[in-house]
Amino acid sequence: MNERFRSIHHHRMLRVAAATPPASVGDTAANARATIALAREADAQGVDLVVFPELNLTSYAIDDLHLQSAMQAATRAAIEAVRVASAELRAVLLVGAAIERNGRLYNCALAIARGRVLGVVPKTFLPNYREYYEKRWFASGMGLTGLDIQIGDARVPFGTDLIFAAADLPHFVFHAEICEDYWAPTPPSTNGALAGALVCCNLSASNVTIGKSRERMMLSASQSARALCAYVYSAAGPGESTTDLAWDGQGSVHELGELLASSGRFDRAAELLVVDVDCERLIGERLRNGTFNDAARGSGDPERAFRRVGFDHRPDYADIGLHREIRRFPFVPNTPDKLDEDCFEAFNIQVEGIAKRLQAVGAERLVIGVSGGLDSTHALIVAAKALDRLGRPRSDITGITMPGFATSDGTKANAWALMRALGCAAEEIDIRPAATRMLADMGHPFGRGEPVYDVTFENVQAGLRTDYLFRIANQRGGLVVGTGDLSELALGWCTYGVGDQMSHYAVNAGVPKTLIQFLIRWAIGTDQYDADTDRVLEAILGTEISPELVPGEQMQSTEAKIGPYALNDFFAHYVIRHGLAPSKIAFLAWHAWQDTSAGRWPIGYPEEAKTAYDLATIKHWLERFLFRFFQISQFKRSAIPNGPKVSAGGALSPRGDWRAPSDGTAKVWLDELAANGS
């Protein structure tokens, strides 16, 4: 048991904040008080790093007043007030101030922590176009490295070569740049990230004009994506001079191109935008991205040129909750526009994949086993759309339903209804006589009439279905379309070889089970097919997932055996895409799934299907997922047929995203979960 399990710091996360204090027109004492008030609020919320706007202590839009010595002295006094107040706070503060050094005035970001000014970073790029005339007042920090400056009673590092790193929290490493710096073609934060900073910060004034908010969001998103970092942006708010400009106080936090949180705009009250960033995710992304390392090498290894300013953060590893939305379905967007866009792309990736393969091999037809379940349904509607796109009749699809010993009347009826509605060639082969004969030939007890329903009994049925499909494809010049999905490959929930693991083209191999449901709903909602087809699709969506291999009064439930696909897909995403430790995955899953009323559900998710899972349940199924994924199913993935990668969340082809030994062990992952998972 690890007592730190519920701490974000234990899981290599940080709590950051973009602060928007009420501004003034040069009242530095008031600015200092507003800064201290927000710093104390951030400290009460367990924030590690607070980013304030550009020149928030001095004021930004005061023009030639910047050059007045009284203003410069007042700014130094404001810095001292903030430094003294910070002694009782855990949060590191990034504040903005104009500071004179060696006969030049610099627009600076000051890092302040626990009563100490850690360092001062001058702005590199000074705008001198449109409404900005900063070169009238400020000198550029470009090329200033290895220097220091007197702040109060201390000499502190000064220059554009600084990154800041907590000695006692290795993932707490940040870099500061100022406003125009990230409008430049070469933002300083690029080299800061290449030197090791995981959180890049922008202290900005940035007046607002129509459309500028979108531009800031675009720049923050793109920089966090390119630099593989978290990007915290804070712009000046109301209170600055409106002689010629206006200010909206926009704050945002992005991570790897994704918006985590954004503040209100044009609010006259102070605002603190708080969110947790996942530094372990950032580290993992950099490890996987060889281009990031190449960029560092091509830039002369910036870590050699940067000074790493150390400080003691003193984390207490307390449970402070999680200020971050964790998607229950990481493969499924939870906003309507993104869901529609992703479903459009996923569906058409699959359609183009099977259309190209059909053309390339010159097959006369596609052959699909249609069970009436989700996977074969989706494969069939994708195949139908591919033939539409190629200008070929849907009768070039041979759909075959093959009832076995436990096939229900409902799924069989759905299979027939779907094939008829789509207009494909439909056939039925009852596999029970052949399966009985095979089991008898093998000496299996079922062949003697005994009710023994073991794995052999199940796999004989799965194997026969695949065998029929391949032989029919041989006979009729066809191509067997696989129906198995990414979730089943992750779990090894498929019959190897002559079974549902094999096909000529695995069109669903890059699509997880949770996304398939939404793809079918998207097909209905966007009128991809006619009303008769839509009615059948709705009926199939309402059917419980089951392999229908074992006879019995109650339907055989897949999820009762291997766990809810919602959880398994959650686990798969964080294992395949991010390589997170199992205890971290359990921590994220617990926050995502512990309360049905918290967070957003994907649009259109059935109300009756919404459920919650406690930590014990999550760990139970995670243990089984880890064992299946790492130890007993890789040999199936090592020999999978071709199929298109669909999700950026990853795929399991040994020719692409996932390469692993077939005889590996799950011990490392199970041990980690046991030691740290609660």
Side-chain angles (χ1 to χ4, degrees):
M1 179 176 177
N2 192 319
E3 295 179 355
R4 296 180 173 183
F5 172 77
R6 299 186 184 216
S7 164
I8 64 168
H9 294 126
H10 173 68
H11 295 290
R12 293 199 281 181
M13 304 177 87
L14 289 174
R15 183 157 295 174
V16 301
T20 309
S24 76
V25 187
D27 186 344
T28 59
N31 292 341
R33 289 193 296 271
T35 298
I36 292 167
L38 275 181
R40 286 174 175 157
E41 182 181 337
D43 185 69
Q45 294 189 45
V47 173
D48 298 299
L49 175 65
V50 190
V51 181
F52 287 87
E54 178 180 15
L55 296 176
N56 70 293
L57 292 181
T58 304
S59 296
Y60 180 83
I62 57 174
D63 300 334
D64 288 353
L65 301 186
H66 283 300
L67 299 176
Q68 295 287 308
S69 60
M71 178 60 66
Q72 294 158 25
T75 296
R76 293 267 183 166
I79 293 170
E80 178 63 10
V82 173
R83 183 196 68 78
V84 170
S86 75
E88 61 189 38
L89 307 177
R90 79 187 79 187
V92 178
L93 313 178
L94 267 177
V95 301
I99 302 177
E100 182 274 331
R101 182 188 182 280
N102 198 23
R104 301 177 184 85
L105 190 66
Y106 295 96
N107 180 344
C108 299
L110 293 87
I112 301 174
R114 296 190 183 272
R116 173 185 162 211
V117 177
L118 304 178
V120 179
V121 180
K123 188 172 182 176
T124 297
F125 295 100
L126 302 177
N128 221 45
Y129 57 92
R130 293 199 296 266
E131 61 266 34
Y132 296 109
Y133 304 98
E134 286 192 28
K135 289 184 179 180
R136 180 181 176 97
W137 311 297
F138 302 121
S140 169
M142 187 177 297
L144 297 183
T145 61
L147 303 176
D148 57 26
I149 187 172
Q150 189 75 30
I151 300 292
D153 295 332
R155 298 293 295 184
V156 303
F158 175 90
T160 56
D161 59 340
L162 305 181
I163 58 174
F164 303 90
D168 49 0
L169 205 61
H171 59 277
F172 190 178
V173 188
F174 67 94
H175 174 271
E177 61 187 2
I178 303 171
C179 199
E180 184 74 11
D181 285 348
Y182 93 143
W183 262 274
T186 53
S189 56
T190 299
N191 277 339
L194 294 174
L198 294 169
V199 182
C200 294
C201 309
N202 191 309
L203 297 77
S204 181
S206 186
N207 71 294
V208 63
T209 54
I210 295 172
K212 195 169 187 181
S213 170
R214 294 190 297 271
E215 184 179 5
R216 296 174 187 145
M217 285 291 198
M218 178 270 293
L219 289 169
S220 294
S222 62
Q223 188 62 356
S224 72
R226 273 197 309 270
L228 303 183
C229 67
Y231 200 91
V232 186
Y233 179 89
S234 179
E240 286 280 0
S241 171
T242 56
T243 300
D244 291 300
L245 306 172
W247 319 86
D248 65 341
Q250 183 173 22
S252 64
V253 181
H254 287 78
E255 181 181 294
L256 297 176
E258 178 182 356
L259 177 65
L260 297 185
S262 59
S263 69
R265 299 171 59 211
F266 302 104
D267 295 336
R268 300 202 64 81
E271 184 167 1
L272 194 68
L273 176 70
V274 178
V275 69
D276 296 336
V277 298
D278 192 340
C279 295
E280 183 178 4
R281 182 184 180 215
L282 299 172
I283 294 167
E285 196 67 19
R286 291 180 179 183
L287 289 173
R288 287 167 179 75
N289 192 316
T291 298
F292 186 85
N293 181 63
D294 291 344
R297 187 59 53 85
S299 300
D301 289 323
E303 66 177 310
R304 299 176 184 272
F306 272 78
R307 288 179 286 170
R308 183 171 285 228
V309 180
F311 61 96
D312 291 328
H313 191 53
R314 306 171 206 167
D316 58 11
Y317 294 97
D319 177 7
I320 56 174
L322 184 66
H323 279 261
R324 177 187 179 96
E325 184 177 8
I326 305 296
R327 279 161 46 184
R328 294 177 175 89
F329 300 95
F331 291 102
V332 181
N334 52 12
T335 59
D337 54 338
K338 288 183 179 179
L339 180 59
D340 180 74
E341 182 180 344
D342 281 16
C343 287
F344 168 82
E345 289 182 337
F347 186 80
N348 282 283
I349 287 168
Q350 292 182 272
V351 169
E352 286 301 307
I354 194 65
K356 173 61 178 177
R357 181 53 56 93
L358 183 60
Q359 283 184 309
V361 302
E364 297 177 21
R365 62 181 51 253
L366 298 175
V367 179
I368 304 179
V370 184
S371 69
L374 286 175
D375 292 344
S376 65
T377 293
H378 185 60
L380 183 57
I381 63 175
V382 166
K385 188 61 68 174
L387 289 179
D388 293 348
R389 195 163 292 177
L390 293 172
R392 293 177 56 169
R394 292 180 182 175
S395 56
D396 283 354
I397 301 172
T398 297
I400 306 173
T401 186
M402 293 172 278
F405 296 110
T407 301
S408 68
D409 292 339
T411 54
K412 180 180 172 181
N414 284 340
W416 269 105
L418 181 62
M419 292 187 289
R420 286 172 177 148
L422 288 170
C424 66
E427 300 179 19
E428 179 176 322
I429 298 175
D430 186 343
I431 67 167
R432 288 174 293 182
T436 302
R437 176 60 185 270
M438 180 178 283
L439 289 164
D441 289 345
M442 294 168 55
H444 189 277
F446 184 83
R448 301 190 297 270
E450 299 177 26
V452 176
Y453 308 128
D454 56 10
V455 68
T456 303
F457 175 83
E458 296 184 20
N459 284 347
V460 160
Q461 296 173 76
L464 276 171
R465 287 174 173 140
T466 303
D467 201 2
Y468 275 120
L469 292 175
F470 272 98
R471 302 297 74 80
I472 290 170
N474 293 156
Q475 181 190 45
R476 305 177 193 181
L479 183 151
V480 177
V481 178
T483 61
D485 61 42
L486 180 70
S487 307
E488 293 174 342
L489 285 169
L491 292 159
W493 192 248
C494 51
T495 302
Y496 182 73
V498 184
D500 53 332
Q501 179 256 357
M502 188 49 62
S503 63
H504 287 127
Y505 194 75
V507 72
N508 286 344
V511 186
K513 188 82 72 179
T514 48
L515 181 56
I516 282 180
Q517 299 178 53
F518 286 92
L519 287 170
I520 296 174
R521 289 192 180 99
W522 174 86
I524 297 169
T526 55
D527 297 321
Q528 299 295 314
Y529 307 97
D530 59 26
D532 287 342
T533 302
D534 289 347
R535 279 192 289 271
V536 181
L537 294 177
E538 290 280 10
I540 291 170
L541 284 169
T543 303
E544 183 176 3
I545 300 168
S546 171
E548 294 193 327
L549 294 170
V550 176
E553 293 181 3
Q554 186 174 6
M555 177 177 281
Q556 182 187 9
S557 171
T558 294
E559 293 184 300
K561 285 194 170 186
I562 60 174
Y565 274 114
L567 287 181
N568 283 320
D569 282 357
F570 188 98
F571 304 152
H573 174 82
Y574 285 103
V575 166
I576 300 166
R577 182 65 180 84
H578 300 296
L580 298 185
S583 62
K584 172 72 164 286
I585 296 172
F587 174 81
L588 296 176
W590 176 56
H591 278 284
W593 287 97
Q594 64 177 316
D595 182 358
T596 57
S597 65
R600 289 177 292 178
W601 291 84
I603 303 302
Y605 195 80
E607 192 67 32
E608 66 276 7
K610 294 179 180 179
T611 189
Y613 299 106
D614 59 24
L615 183 57
T617 301
I618 289 167
K619 283 187 61 181
H620 170 81
W621 290 119
L622 179 54
E623 287 173 354
R624 280 147 185 78
F625 174 88
L626 295 171
F627 179 71
R628 295 190 68 95
F629 184 84
F630 286 105
Q631 188 152 328
I632 67 170
S633 61
Q634 178 57 41
F635 76 98
K636 297 180 181 180
R637 295 188 290 270
S638 295
I640 62 174
N642 297 168
K645 178 179 177 180
V646 173
S647 171
L652 288 171
S653 170
R655 299 168 293 275
D657 286 1
W658 184 260
R659 304 179 189 193
S662 294
D663 48 6
T665 175
K667 185 177 187 304
V668 168
W669 291 267
L670 292 171
D671 287 351
E672 195 283 335
L673 180 61
N676 300 305
S678 64

